[in-house]
Amino acid sequence: MELEVLGYISAILVGVSLGLIGSGGSILTVPILVYMMSVDPVLATAYSLFVVGATSLVGGVKNILNKMVDLKTAVVFGVPSIIAVYLTRAYLVPFIPEVILSVGDFQLTKSIALMLLFAVVMILASMSMIKPRKKTNDYDISGIKYNYPLVLLEGSLVGVLTGLVGAGGGFLIIPALVILARMPMKLAVGTSLLIIAAKSLLGFLGDIQGDRDIDWMLLSIFTSLSVAGIFIGIYLAKKIDGDKLKTGFGWFVLLMGIYIIVKELFLS
């Protein structure tokens, strides 16, 4: 019960993370649901899509009102990503066998495999966050240009990854928008939230079409707390140095990724 209460409190941090740096929400959501709320890992990836999608939608709408979203980019990047995540959740995830590999007494189950994949994603995400970025004008939109083939490819790959591990992919979307579309950082964060919202919520539809038993009470409370957190994060973003915060969060994510690998392989 104490861990469950701590899990609900931690839900606020999911929103704070999304509000502050535009990513990291799902990186917190899945471990919180699995280790604090005792949710099955496969189901936790589905819950994560809903929580992060709903929370990002609130942040995305707020950024639209503040004119910090480029809608053209959201469509170009978002459409292939949305299609990929929906197909992954509806068809690829159910197709994965419950026991993928057996070696002696060790069984690589579907749940363990998804948690290990998620841990690898966390470690890659942490490197993206820890690495210092080149200083640019965060609000200058005059240089936006598109490398359409790469943007479409990146959107599709992020969609598949989102579908597999329930990660919104902000840590992949933001660098892609900055590098492939030459988008200013602040605009990339705002646009990223809208893309994450669309593909996560539509990806979740792929789950509820199946026979999953969704705990709507848990999901509603967790999501409401996360939405409250994003308002806190957006407010704090005006007060805190984003680069320092992102670096510190990156080290935390790295340690969490290593912990999940050790736990799933050696402590389960």
Side-chain angles (χ1 to χ4, degrees), residues 244-258:
K244 290 180 180 178
L245 183 76
K246 194 171 186 177
T247 300
F249 187 75
W251 284 109
F252 169 74
V253 169
L254 176 62
L255 293 175
M256 279 294 296
I258 294 171

Side-chain angles (χ1 to χ4, degrees), residues 23-222:
S23 63
S26 52
I27 287 172
L28 293 173
T29 304
V30 173
I32 290 169
L33 290 171
V34 172
Y35 299 126
M36 293 183 183
M37 317 292 283
S38 299
V39 177
D40 173 76
V42 178
L43 193 57
T45 61
Y47 284 9
S48 175
L49 289 175
F50 182 85
V51 172
V52 173
T55 306
S56 298
L57 180 61
V58 173
V61 170
K62 186 170 179 60
N63 280 314
I64 288 175
L65 296 176
N66 292 335
K67 298 183 178 179
M68 288 309 301
V69 172
D70 186 89
L71 293 176
K72 178 183 176 182
T73 302
V75 172
V76 171
F77 192 101
V79 168
S81 187
I82 289 167
I83 294 171
V85 70
Y86 176 81
L87 294 176
T88 299
R89 293 307 298 187
Y91 301 105
L92 180 56
V93 172
F95 180 75
I96 300 173
E98 290 301 322
V99 178
I100 298 172
L101 178 69
S102 293
V103 180
D105 294 331
F106 175 75
Q107 284 191 333
L108 180 62
T109 64
K110 181 177 182 177
S111 295
I112 292 175
L114 287 178
M115 289 306 294
L116 291 176
L117 177 60
F118 190 84
V120 171
V121 169
M122 290 181 76
I123 291 171
L124 293 175
S126 70
M127 294 177 181
S128 171
M129 293 174 183
I130 293 169
K131 184 179 179 181
R133 67 181 178 92
K134 184 172 66 175
K135 291 290 183 181
T136 59
N137 185 339
D138 284 340
Y139 299 95
D140 181 14
I141 64 172
S142 61
I144 294 180
K145 295 180 181 178
Y146 295 97
N147 184 328
Y148 283 102
L150 284 178
V151 169
L152 292 172
L153 177 61
E154 176 85 6
S156 301
L157 292 176
V158 170
V160 173
L161 184 63
T162 294
L164 284 173
V165 302
F171 66 91
L172 292 172
I173 296 172
I174 293 172
L177 296 180
V178 171
I179 295 169
L180 301 181
R182 300 181 185 178
M183 183 176 287
M185 186 67 181
K186 293 286 185 183
L187 195 62
V189 169
T191 305
S192 168
L193 287 177
L194 197 62
I195 295 170
I196 290 170
K199 68 190 182 69
S200 297
L201 290 174
L202 289 172
F204 181 72
L205 291 179
D207 283 284
I208 61 177
Q209 286 181 353
D211 57 357
R212 298 193 187 280
D213 186 17
I214 306 294
D215 186 343
W216 289 104
M217 180 63 73
L218 182 154
L219 202 51
S220 299
I221 297 173
F222 198 101

Side-chain angles (χ1 to χ4, degrees), residues 12 15-21 228-238:
I12 299 172
V16 171
S17 170
L18 285 166
L20 276 170
I21 60 177
I230 201 169
F231 285 106
I232 298 172
I234 291 172
Y235 172 77
L236 291 178
K238 301 173 184 177

